[in-house]
Amino acid sequence: MKKYSLILFVIMTQLSFAQNDSYLWLEDVENEKALNWVEEWNKKTLDVLTEHHDYEGIYNKNLEIYNSTDRIPEPTIFGNFIYNFWQDKEHKRGIWRRTTIESYLSKAPGWETILDIDDLSGKDNIKWVFKGASGLYSDYDKFLISLSKGGGDAVVIKEFDVQTKSFVENGFYIPEAKGNASWIDKNTLMVSTDFGDGVTTSGYPRQVKIWKRGTELKDAKLVFEGEKDNMGVWGYTIPTQDKTYQLIMRYMTFYTAQYYVLEKGKLVELELPDDIELAGIVNDMVILRLKSDWEVNDQFYKQGSVITAKYNDLLRGKPDFYLLVEPGERSSVAGLSSTKNMLLVNMLNNVKGELYAYKWDGSWRKQKINVPEPGNISLAASDENSDNFFFYFENFLEPATLYYGDAAAGEYNKVKSLPTFFPTKKYKVQQFETTSKDGTKIPYFVVGPKNMKPDGNNPTLLYAYGGFEVPELPSYSATTGTAWLEKGGVYVLANIRGGGEFGPKWHQAGLKANRQRVYDDFHAVAGDLVSRKITSPKKLGIFGGSNGGLLVGVAFTQRPDLYQAVVCAVPLLDMKRYNKLLAGASWMAEYGNPDIPEEWEYISKYSPYQNVKKGMNYPEVFFTTSTRDDRVHPGHARKMVAKMSDMGYKIYYFENIEGGHAAASTNEQRARMYALIFTYLQMKLMN
């Protein structure tokens, strides 16, 4: 009887919220009435922001930066070639191209265009967005090309021949879905997609099938099927010289998964903790990242560690585990990559990058690679046929520089640097700490003029994310430099909980019932900026996107006294319905389930859409989103704008028609979006 009463309570609560929400019609993305509403709001916002005296200059400079031929062509290695996707003023939707490794390392690489997305879009009358390519090991003469209609996560996958530079007639073709495919061999794929039997409640695949060339996709052999309420099921392969590993991941939630391998057609489950991450296989060693402490085989491994085991031993259920990395209190593993013989580990030490190379010879031998510092190291591409690899180094005031190195020798050389688009020598970077409400020390970076006066009068932009174990790291932004720092602004990056700056524990400290800690951290940083007289509430703006959009939405509804400007981009805001919109159900491991009364109890305390009130002194928020965002539903931003407008608040809203969760697909769209954002910030904080 008690269970029945609880279910009835949940149903009645859901009905009550649905009946009381007069803006539900805005969740119908393509509805004519909703699109007319979007068009009216876009016009109102553009009429104000594009007429501002700084808008045109910011837009033109942004476009110059995005279209600059001095940008670093991001490398991906397939066999003997470097592949790169490139957009500029002549190639608005972009070209996929390649060159030899030797040519790439020269001062003037000679590029061969493989696929022109502008031409393809014109022929198909579809605004295609390139979403990546997966090559057939080891000749890499065939690829699986992923294309999105307008930039969403859902993609069409088509087989492509790089020799003829054309899609293969009657080749592999997978209709639009949030799925993926991997090569087993030239005639066989492992496919995770919507096969017509439905997807999970999160909108992701729940089946993995083996598809043979010459057969229909619907006739592919089912090898695994998950549950409808799983987050999703994905299959993928790891090809090597000796064998092609075939793996399947069944994600029950965003942070828990079961791993399986296919061996001679037989499905074998690996005996591992649900919250472990299988990060790859190197020289037949399985690489595992621990999200919690684990005691196994009379050994204790700490949360955040990386351990390894031999593949065949793990398959038999009798593995010996070998410790690779055990991070300290203020360090974490930021990235892993492998070459032919080496495993590269990118470490964060108090939010500063370090790089190590490991080699297996019965135990793991460690070598530190003395990369530039202090700053952010990111692994770019590695060569499966040698120990060569690419990595980037950057920080707030040093543009990204690409290096090419030998992991075995621990040596590297500079390949190319971004130009300096603004006079970085005028500025300084400081790292501070403040104390959050529960006593936790929260670090943050401040970038500002060397002669900055602590008078509380500096226009300041505070950015953070605070979720999904994503670390926010020092990085160079030419657009922020030219449109904000050069105009007299100060930029702040906060390393609040929920992120991955200090490993899984930093993330898990802000999960579910503890979510308010994330927002307390953000308020604490804002308050500390005011206490240090770096800025004042009338000069403080905040910016966040996606989960960061939720962050700033909570910030201005909880502490409107602290903020003068808010940029709320592609946000989650209606936390009562987020799990029913697009991929929202997959994030319940992060936020909780609003349909469970005990969990809605804590979610309801911060959900911006439910907590916005009349008669408050809110800042004039600028909301942005994309019609084609199929990850975070545009209804979040739409409904918040409609609700606040009807309450009498002045706000700004811009919805880009395409772009997906990135809210932009071309350089012109990116230039416009950030011109609008920085024009708004200048208008609110500098004029």
Side-chain angles (χ1 to χ4, degrees):
M1 187 67 182
K2 185 175 181 181
K3 182 179 180 181
Y4 173 79
S5 298
L6 182 60
I7 294 172
L8 183 62
F9 173 79
V10 172
I11 293 173
M12 293 304 293
T13 300
Q14 290 174 342
L15 288 172
S16 174
F17 271 97
Q19 290 168 353
N20 291 334
D21 190 348
S22 58
Y23 307 106
L24 279 177
W25 59 277
L26 286 165
E27 291 182 5
D28 189 351
V29 177
E30 301 286 353
N31 176 274
E32 184 179 357
K33 180 182 176 184
L35 290 177
N36 287 338
W37 179 92
V38 168
E39 187 177 350
E40 290 172 8
W41 267 101
N42 280 357
K43 185 179 186 306
K44 283 193 290 186
T45 296
L46 292 173
D47 283 349
V48 174
L49 296 182
T50 60
E51 290 302 314
H52 189 272
H53 59 83
D54 276 331
Y55 171 80
E56 187 175 353
I58 297 173
Y59 171 80
N60 289 335
K61 188 64 179 179
N62 285 353
L63 192 57
E64 176 192 337
I65 292 167
Y66 287 126
N67 281 336
S68 170
T69 56
D70 290 329
R71 288 175 293 134
I72 300 173
E74 184 174 351
T76 303
I77 304 174
F78 289 113
N80 297 320
F81 289 94
I82 298 284
Y83 285 77
N84 166 257
F85 180 69
W86 183 261
Q87 291 175 288
D88 58 28
K89 63 183 179 180
E90 278 83 33
H91 308 97
K92 291 179 170 39
R93 308 204 77 81
I95 53 173
W96 188 49
R97 59 187 189 170
R98 72 178 184 179
T99 188
T100 64
I101 294 176
E102 292 75 18
S103 176
Y104 182 83
L105 295 174
S106 70
K107 291 184 178 180
W111 291 100
E112 174 191 9
T113 298
I114 303 298
L115 178 63
D116 189 317
I117 306 300
D118 293 274
D119 283 351
L120 183 66
S121 296
K123 290 175 184 175
D124 295 347
N125 196 27
I126 297 173
K127 292 181 177 179
W128 288 120
V129 175
F130 183 79
K131 287 285 187 172
S134 172
L136 173 60
Y137 180 87
S138 61
D139 292 337
Y140 296 108
D141 55 342
K142 300 289 195 303
F143 282 79
L144 297 174
I145 304 290
S146 295
L147 297 167
S148 165
K149 297 176 181 177
D153 290 346
V155 295
V156 171
I157 300 174
K158 303 172 69 174
E159 184 180 6
F160 188 86
D161 187 320
V162 295
Q163 304 304 323
T164 63
K165 300 181 183 178
S166 63
F167 290 102
V168 177
E169 187 175 356
N170 299 319
F172 289 116
Y173 174 85
I174 302 171
E176 185 180 34
K178 292 183 179 180
N180 74 306
S182 299
W183 296 98
I184 294 177
D185 58 47
K186 66 180 180 180
N187 293 314
T188 317
L189 299 183
M190 179 178 278
V191 181
S192 317
T193 191
D194 180 358
F195 292 95
D197 300 325
V199 293
T200 67
T201 52
S202 300
Y204 295 113
R206 62 183 181 90
Q207 295 175 324
V208 178
K209 296 185 179 184
I210 304 297
W211 186 18
K212 292 285 187 179
R213 188 183 297 279
T215 65
E216 297 291 328
L217 179 60
K218 64 181 178 60
D219 297 325
K221 180 184 177 182
L222 178 68
V223 292
F224 190 88
E225 184 167 11
E227 303 296 328
K228 191 170 182 62
D229 63 353
N230 290 159
M231 176 193 162
V233 177
W234 287 272
Y236 65 103
T237 61
I238 301 177
T240 69
Q241 186 174 357
D242 298 323
K243 70 176 297 179
T244 294
Y245 300 93
Q246 300 176 45
L247 297 97
I248 294 171
M249 301 178 295
R250 172 183 175 241
Y251 273 90
M252 291 79 74
T253 72
F254 207 91
Y255 304 115
T256 59
Q258 293 171 333
Y259 291 94
Y260 303 82
V261 296
L262 277 174
E263 278 291 332
K264 298 178 181 178
K266 181 182 178 182
L267 191 68
V268 181
E269 182 178 357
L270 302 181
E271 297 177 13
L272 295 168
D274 284 350
D275 65 346
I276 207 165
E277 177 190 344
L278 198 161
I281 301 176
V282 180
N283 292 333
D284 212 40
M285 298 290 288
V286 181
I287 314 301
L288 302 163
R289 299 176 69 172
L290 299 183
K291 301 300 182 180
S292 58
D293 294 340
W294 190 27
E295 189 169 355
V296 60
N297 298 345
D298 297 322
Q299 294 291 320
F300 179 79
Y301 299 104
K302 288 179 61 177
Q303 178 186 46
S305 296
V306 177
I307 61 174
T308 66
K310 294 179 180 177
Y311 174 80
N312 288 330
D313 292 347
L314 196 59
L315 201 65
R316 290 194 298 266
K318 296 181 179 180
D320 290 323
F321 292 101
Y322 303 88
L323 179 66
L324 185 80
V325 179
E326 184 179 285
E329 187 66 25
R330 301 291 276 185
S331 65
S332 65
V333 176
L336 297 164
S337 184
S338 61
T339 62
K340 183 178 182 180
N341 302 298
M342 309 293 288
L343 180 63
L344 292 161
V345 180
N346 179 15
M347 296 290 296
L348 283 179
N349 190 349
N350 200 26
V351 206
K352 300 178 181 70
E354 298 175 348
L355 186 59
Y356 298 88
Y358 291 79
K359 185 174 183 180
W360 174 259
D361 58 5
S363 62
W364 287 105
R365 289 193 292 109
K366 169 183 171 183
Q367 176 185 0
K368 183 175 183 180
I369 299 176
N370 294 314
V371 295
E373 57 181 32
N376 173 15
I377 300 295
S378 54
L379 299 169
S382 56
D383 190 346
E384 63 197 15
N385 297 316
S386 73
D387 287 321
N388 295 328
F389 71 104
F390 290 95
F391 73 93
Y392 291 100
F393 169 81
E394 64 183 313
N395 58 35
F396 292 111
L397 299 179
E398 293 186 60
T401 298
L402 181 67
Y403 294 92
Y404 185 60
D406 182 331
E411 300 172 347
Y412 58 87
N413 293 299
K414 177 181 172 180
V415 178
K416 187 177 178 65
S417 287
L418 275 175
T420 301
F421 286 97
F422 64 99
T424 57
K425 291 183 179 180
K426 292 168 50 179
Y427 305 98
K428 63 181 178 181
V429 179
Q430 297 171 281
Q431 188 179 28
F432 296 109
E433 277 191 349
T434 188
T435 304
S436 193
K437 188 175 181 179
D438 65 356
T440 303
K441 297 294 184 182
I442 309 299
Y444 65 93
F445 293 96
V446 176
V447 186
K450 288 180 178 178
N451 61 353
M452 179 174 63
K453 296 178 181 179
D455 58 5
N457 202 38
N458 300 293
T460 300
L461 177 60
L462 168 59
Y463 181 88
Y465 185 76
F468 296 92
E469 204 176 336
V470 175
E472 288 297 333
L473 307 176
S475 61
Y476 178 88
S477 171
T479 52
T480 302
T482 57
W484 187 247
L485 293 176
E486 276 204 89
K487 302 294 184 179
V490 174
Y491 181 76
V492 179
L493 179 68
N495 303 117
I496 59 179
R497 282 175 288 185
E501 289 85 348
F502 303 120
K505 66 181 183 299
W506 197 248
H507 167 233
Q508 293 166 14
L511 287 180
K512 292 188 173 183
N514 294 322
R515 198 73 190 175
Q516 185 58 43
R517 291 175 178 170
V518 176
Y519 311 129
D520 290 341
D521 292 354
F522 193 71
H523 299 324
V525 173
D528 201 52
L529 291 169
V530 173
S531 296
R532 293 178 187 272
K533 295 187 177 181
I534 291 172
T535 191
S536 64
K538 288 296 182 184
K539 290 289 185 178
L540 179 57
I542 54 178
F543 181 8
S546 190
N547 172 75
L550 171 62
L551 169 69
V552 298
V554 174
F556 86 79
T557 51
Q558 288 189 349
R559 292 294 308 274
D561 58 302
L562 270 177
Y563 311 108
Q564 177 69 9
V566 180
V567 178
C568 188
V570 290
L572 289 91
L573 294 167
D574 182 355
M575 299 304 287
K576 182 61 186 175
R577 286 183 51 76
Y578 86 92
N579 61 326
K580 298 173 178 62
L581 301 173
L582 298 175
S586 66
W587 309 320
M588 290 191 290
E590 180 84 8
Y591 304 116
N593 184 348
D595 297 333
I596 298 174
E598 293 83 1
E599 298 189 15
W600 174 243
E601 174 66 21
Y602 58 75
I603 298 172
S604 66
K605 290 186 170 73
Y606 68 77
S607 179
Y609 188 64
Q610 279 73 37
N611 281 283
V612 66
K613 302 179 182 69
K614 290 183 179 180
M616 302 295 290
N617 190 26
Y618 294 133
E620 296 175 358
V621 184
F622 182 19
F623 296 93
T624 72
T625 189
S626 165
T627 311
R628 294 285 181 262
D629 190 344
D630 57 358
R631 191 182 311 173
V632 176
H633 199 290
H636 285 278
R638 289 178 177 183
K639 294 198 305 178
M640 190 72 164
V641 167
K643 188 174 184 178
M644 291 186 69
S645 179
D646 286 350
M647 288 179 172
Y649 294 109
K650 182 180 178 182
I651 45 185
Y652 299 89
Y653 180 74
F654 180 73
E655 180 174 319
N656 198 36
I657 299 302
E658 62 172 305
H661 196 49
S665 296
T666 66
N667 287 344
E668 286 86 349
Q669 292 174 18
R670 295 180 189 99
R672 179 173 66 169
M673 181 64 78
Y674 281 98
L676 293 172
I677 287 170
F678 282 108
T679 297
Y680 160 81
L681 290 168
Q682 289 185 25
M683 184 176 72
K684 297 301 298 174
L685 301 175
M686 292 182 175
N687 293 346

